């Protein structure tokens, strides 16, 4: 795994479960939710949780009858809702002092999922005469993709650095928001003004629907060299461009629900509608699949049946 700093990681995706959390959930046989991007992973694909930190944790063969998998209805179910977070974090280290202002927005608008798939004869034989359930998981994986959570995420991270040197670290969440339009709030405006006044300022942002990132830096005086180094990765900014980038990200966040809805409307998808594999995969390519929902193989009806079946096949 390649190590990245906090700000680089923020650009990649919204926060999701780390490897240790996935391992704990998998050991307890709990469902998993993996933050996702534009790579197409088909419903019914199986997943090896012990290979989560490798380049390819997905199985190359399926334990499911493909013809029946295609026939199973993949229904779109609405679950409209929004969540927003507003954090102000002060980090004091020996190397620098920094304040961080972080806002995150997420919205879920739908959930296409596949019902309980049927096992192939090969998979059943693995349970009956091979290594049992453990053998099934070793060969095919211990989870399968049961659904996509549709939606979008937009976020912004601003960090302002001073020159004091202390060894104290302090983290705090000042507010949790349940509605949008943060950019119009007095609290946000006050914090924004304090960040842009006379310090080194880094701005990072992302929008999953447009697959777009923002990365800017401003500094003054003897910090020009650092600004030039940062500009080689992103672009330097002044106060006006800082406000412009912030407003662009905020506008996208406040229109997040509508923008996701427009994608579904464009295709004519409605609540309760059955979708094909191709239609589901098209939603991934549109950038509105924010999570893969994984169910443990142990919950499948066929797995439970054949683990307890004593008849000879």
């Amino acid at each position: 795994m390649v190590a990245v700093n906090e700000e680089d990681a923020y650009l990649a995706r919204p926060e999701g479960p780390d490897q240790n959390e996935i391992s704990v959930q998998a050991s307890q046989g709990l469902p998993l939710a993996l933050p996702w991007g534009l790579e197409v992973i088909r419903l019914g694909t199986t997943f090896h949780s012990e290979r989560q930190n490798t380049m390819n944790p997905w199985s190359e063969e399926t334990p499911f009858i493909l013809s029946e998998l295609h026939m199973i209805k993949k229904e779109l179910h609405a679950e409209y809702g929004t969540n927003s977070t507003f954090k102000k974090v002060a980090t004091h280290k020996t190397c620098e002092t920094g304040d961080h202002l972080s806002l995150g927005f997420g919205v879920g608008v739908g959930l296409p999922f596949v019902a309980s798939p049927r096992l192939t004869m090969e998979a059943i034989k693995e349970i009956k005469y091979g290594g049992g359930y453990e053998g099934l998981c070793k060969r095919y994986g211990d989870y399968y993709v049961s659904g996509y959570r549709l939606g979008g995420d937009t976020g912004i991270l601003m960090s302002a650095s001073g020159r004091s040197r202390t060894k104290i670290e302090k983290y705090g969440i000042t507010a949790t928001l349940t509605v949008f339009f943060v950019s119009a709030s007095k609290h946000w405006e006050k914090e924004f003004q304090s960040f842009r006044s006379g310090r080194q300022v880094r701005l990072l942002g992302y929008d999953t629907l447009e697959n777009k990132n923002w990365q800017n830096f401003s500094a003054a005086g003897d910090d020009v060299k650092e600004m030039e180094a940062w500009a080689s990765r992103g672009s330097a900014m002044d106060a006006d461009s800082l406000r412009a980038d912030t407003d662009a990200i905020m506008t996208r966040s406040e229109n997040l629900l509508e923008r996701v809805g427009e994608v579904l409307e464009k295709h004519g998808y409605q609540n309760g509608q059955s979708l094909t594999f191709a239609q589901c995969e098209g939603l991934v390519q549109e950038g509105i699949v924010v999570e893969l929902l994984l169910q443990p193989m142990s919950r499948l009806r066929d797995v439970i049946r054949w683990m307890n079946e004593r008849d000879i096949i």
Side-chain angles (χ1 to χ4, degrees):
M1 298 293 289
V2 179
V4 295
N5 62 37
E6 173 189 1
E7 294 175 343
D8 287 335
Y10 189 83
L11 281 174
R13 286 291 302 185
E15 290 184 4
D18 59 25
Q19 294 173 11
N20 290 334
E21 184 179 345
I22 291 176
S23 297
V24 170
Q25 290 177 314
S27 67
Q28 298 174 358
L30 299 175
L32 302 177
L34 304 181
W36 206 244
L38 299 176
E39 181 184 356
V40 174
I41 295 293
R42 175 165 288 192
L43 293 173
T45 302
T46 48
F47 175 84
H48 295 266
S49 63
E50 77 278 3
R51 287 170 22 193
Q52 60 180 282
N53 59 348
T54 66
M55 294 297 293
N56 185 22
W58 308 103
S59 177
E60 296 181 358
E61 56 179 332
T62 180
F64 304 129
I65 301 172
L66 292 179
S67 59
E68 293 200 12
L69 198 60
H70 278 274
M71 294 296 292
I72 293 174
K73 290 184 177 181
K74 292 157 279 292
E75 296 182 347
L76 177 63
H77 290 271
E79 52 165 23
Y80 288 93
T82 62
N83 63 82
S84 306
T85 59
F86 178 15
K87 301 179 183 179
K88 183 179 180 183
V89 181
T91 308
H92 303 279
K93 300 180 180 180
T94 56
C95 59
E96 72 169 5
T97 297
D99 292 328
H100 302 273
L101 182 61
S102 175
L103 291 101
F105 306 87
V107 58
V109 301
L111 187 68
F113 72 95
V114 61
S116 185
R118 301 296 304 276
L119 294 179
T120 64
M121 187 57 66
E122 283 297 315
I124 294 173
K125 289 179 179 178
E126 188 66 51
I127 296 174
K128 288 288 292 181
Y129 307 118
Y133 176 69
E134 291 73 16
L136 178 77
C137 293
K138 183 177 181 180
R139 178 173 176 179
Y140 298 104
D142 53 338
Y143 281 83
Y144 71 99
V145 180
S146 63
Y148 301 142
R149 174 160 286 119
L150 306 184
D153 287 286
T154 303
I156 182 173
L157 170 68
M158 295 173 62
S159 94
S161 298
R163 294 185 177 81
S164 62
R165 300 290 187 267
T166 64
K167 296 184 179 181
I168 301 173
E169 294 190 354
K170 180 182 178 182
Y171 299 89
I173 300 177
T174 60
T176 299
L177 308 175
T178 57
V179 295
F180 285 163
F181 305 106
V182 178
S183 58
S185 72
K186 293 182 179 179
H187 192 178
W188 161 253
E189 187 62 30
K190 177 182 177 181
E191 297 295 348
F192 176 83
Q193 293 297 335
S194 69
F195 269 74
R196 60 177 285 186
S197 58
R199 313 189 212 178
Q200 301 175 47
V201 180
R202 293 178 175 86
L203 179 146
L204 300 169
Y206 66 84
D207 181 76
T208 60
L209 293 184
E210 295 184 16
N211 194 29
K212 182 177 177 62
N213 291 328
W214 289 262
Q215 183 170 267
N216 281 315
F217 175 83
S218 70
D222 58 4
D223 296 318
V224 172
K225 289 185 177 180
E226 184 175 352
M227 179 182 70
E228 292 174 345
W230 182 262
S232 65
R233 301 170 56 195
S235 59
M237 64 180 171
D238 55 24
D240 290 338
S241 63
L242 173 62
R243 167 61 79 178
D245 279 353
T246 302
D247 287 346
I249 298 170
M250 288 299 194
T251 299
R252 285 168 172 80
S253 71
E254 291 167 358
N255 296 327
L256 191 58
L257 182 59
E258 291 80 1
R259 289 192 293 138
V260 176
E262 287 173 359
V263 175
L264 296 177
E265 289 177 6
K266 178 178 69 175
H267 296 288
Y269 298 156
Q270 299 179 354
N271 184 35
Q273 181 174 346
S274 294
L275 305 180
T276 66
F277 270 122
Q279 288 173 324
C280 289
E281 291 163 10
L283 294 175
V284 180
Q285 295 170 331
E286 290 271 12
I288 66 169
V289 172
V290 291
E291 287 181 339
L292 298 182
L293 305 180
L294 278 63
Q295 289 289 338
M297 297 281 282
S298 60
R299 296 191 179 185
L300 286 173
R301 181 173 55 189
D302 273 4
V303 170
I304 296 173
R305 174 192 172 189
W306 290 104
M307 283 176 61
N308 297 291
E309 180 64 63
R310 298 187 179 183
D311 290 344
I312 298 174
I313 299 176

